[in-house]
Every structure is written in structure tokens, then in C-alpha cells.
Amino acid sequence: MTDIHEPRQTPPTPDIPPAAHPHDVDDGGHAVRLMILAAVVGILGVLGGWPTLVVVLGVVVMIFLHELGHYMAAKWGGMKVTEFFIGFGPKIWSFRRGDTEYGLKAIPAGAYVKIIGMNNLDEIDPADEDLAYRNKSYPKRLLVAVAGSAMHFTQALVLLFVLFAFVGIPGGSLTELEAWNVDEISPDSAADDFGLELGDEILTVDGRSVGNYDDFREMIAELPDADVIMEIDREGEVIDLPVTIGVR
């Protein structure tokens, strides 16, 4: 006798949406953190003006380039970089490209690059062992370690090139310090009290010839609180200007 059973029907599996990646979840605080950061930047601008903002931005860019050096060296060395963030603390904004999450955090006091396997205690996926920092050759690990500092030297060289090529230095020469003219006078300063004017060229101080700004600075440093005659070339006319050297 043969038993005949009806085939079991597998109940339909309900559609369950995939779990959201923790980096894709917005906890509602990103906008608030962004507004706080913008307020801090605004306060710095009000209290310190544009120079303060430029300095802060320059530091942020410098730190970013430092970490970019580590990041590029790690990528070149075949290592897995999981995070590249500017700032610390709560996350404000981020996006993912490949294995790496890039973003901005609330406290702009630094930046960091996260490479898997930076030490032997890091727990990583066995499939990623070949991509870990600890399993790469010594030259590649050394390159990652020094890449940030190398980026600082590169920044210094670029800035020096821009300074000398496009901005210049007093006197207009790298090898010779030449004659110079007064191009700015601060209100209520000693130069303002003396009656110096824009474009004046200082020829002598107390009878001693002034060849360049460094000569002038050294001369007045030797004559604190002294009454001297300053010889000025003002639009081709030589003027004797009695002045009293101040003391700082």
C-alpha cells in the first residue's frame, strides 16, 4: 500500500526591507550640528574678522592635506581605508565610495584616516587580511607613516614658490636688499607722528645712510628715545625731518 501525501506548500516569504547601514541612518541631529558649526564660524568671523577665518581655514586645509597623504599612501600600498573624516565628534555629513566613507564631523580640531589592521589587536574580516596595514611590507607601512609629514614639506615648498614668484619680498630681490619706500602708515603710530607720508624714501637716520629696511630697523633699535634727523626723499625733494625714536 502506497501512502500519498500532498506536497507541502512553503508559505510566501514577506518582503523585508534590507537593514539600513548605520552610516545611512540620519539621527535627526546632523542639521543641528551643521548649524552649530556655522554659528561658531560666524562668531569667529565677527570677533576676529577675515584674518581669523583665513587662519582657521588654512589650518583645516593643512590638516586635510596631511591626512590625504596617509590616505594616498595607504591606497597605493593596497590597504583598505574605511574612513576619511575631517573633524572629530558627532558626524554632520558623509557619503560612501567603495570601501571608504568620507565626511565631516562637528569639531574641526583635526582629521583622521582609518586603515584596517593598524595593530595586531584589530579584529577584521578574514577576507580582508591581505588588505590590512599589519600584513603589508615594511617599506609600504613606513611610507604610510611618513606620508603626512611629507605632505607638510610639499605644502611649504609650494607656498614658498608662490611667495617668491607671485608675492615677492621687501626690496624685490632674494639676494640683495634694495632701497624701499613707505607704503603704509598706521594711524597714531610713531611714523604718523613724525609726519611721514606714503611713498617717502628714508635716505639717512642721524647722518647714517639707509640702504634697505633691515638697515633702518637696526639703526632705530640702537637709538631708543633719541632725537635724530631723518633725511627723506619725497617725490624728488630731500627733506630733513626731526623725529624722536620711540621705545617699545
Side-chain angles (χ1 to χ4, degrees), residues 207-221:
R208 298 166 59 187
S209 177
V210 177
N212 53 61
Y213 178 77
D214 282 348
D215 289 344
F216 175 69
R217 182 178 59 186
E218 292 174 3
M219 288 179 187
I220 62 174

Side-chain angles (χ1 to χ4, degrees), residues 161-217:
F161 173 79
V162 171
L163 174 65
F164 293 143
F166 301 105
V167 179
I169 61 173
S173 172
L174 297 179
T175 58
E176 297 180 7
L177 295 175
E178 301 172 354
W180 57 280
N181 292 40
V182 177
D183 62 1
E184 182 179 357
I185 299 176
S186 302
D188 300 323
S189 64
D192 192 17
D193 293 340
F194 297 161
L196 286 175
E197 297 181 4
L198 298 181
D200 284 352
E201 180 182 342
I202 301 176
L203 302 176
T204 65
V205 175
D206 199 29
R208 298 166 59 187
S209 177
V210 177
N212 53 61
Y213 178 77
D214 282 348
D215 289 344
F216 175 69
R217 182 178 59 186

Side-chain angles (χ1 to χ4, degrees), residues 9 73 83 133 135 140 164 174 192 203:
Q9 295 183 355
E83 294 184 15
Y133 173 89
N135 291 324
K140 290 182 177 179
F164 293 143
L174 297 179
D192 192 17
L203 302 176

Side-chain angles (χ1 to χ4, degrees), residues 3-4 10 24 97:
D3 293 335
I4 300 176
T10 304
D24 300 327
R97 290 289 183 274

Side-chain angles (χ1 to χ4, degrees), residues 71-164:
Y71 171 85
M72 294 174 63
K75 284 291 190 179
W76 178 85
M79 304 173 196
K80 184 174 181 179
V81 181
T82 57
E83 294 184 15
F84 188 159
F85 273 84
I86 298 176
F88 300 110
K91 181 172 61 178
I92 293 178
W93 167 83
S94 70
F95 67 94
R96 180 174 291 277
R97 290 289 183 274
D99 295 325
T100 308
E101 183 185 13
Y102 307 86
L104 178 68
K105 293 194 173 183
I107 306 174
Y112 71 92
V113 169
K114 186 175 181 180
I115 307 170
I116 65 170
M118 288 294 291
N119 60 68
N120 292 331
L121 300 179
D122 281 351
E123 295 183 4
I124 61 176
D125 188 333
D128 290 335
E129 276 293 341
D130 290 340
L131 304 176
Y133 173 89
R134 63 194 177 204
N135 291 324
K136 296 300 180 180
S137 64
Y138 176 77
K140 290 182 177 179
R141 287 184 281 123
L142 179 62
L143 179 62
V144 172
V146 303
S149 298
M151 190 64 81
H152 287 303
F153 283 103
T154 303
Q155 293 175 62
L157 291 175
V158 170
L159 291 174
L160 286 173
F161 173 79
V162 171
L163 174 65
F164 293 143

Side-chain angles (χ1 to χ4, degrees), residues 11-35:
T13 303
D15 293 334
I16 301 175
H21 192 281
H23 296 297
D24 300 327
V25 177
D26 186 348
D27 60 7
H30 294 178
V32 174
R33 296 167 192 154
L34 183 59
M35 287 188 292

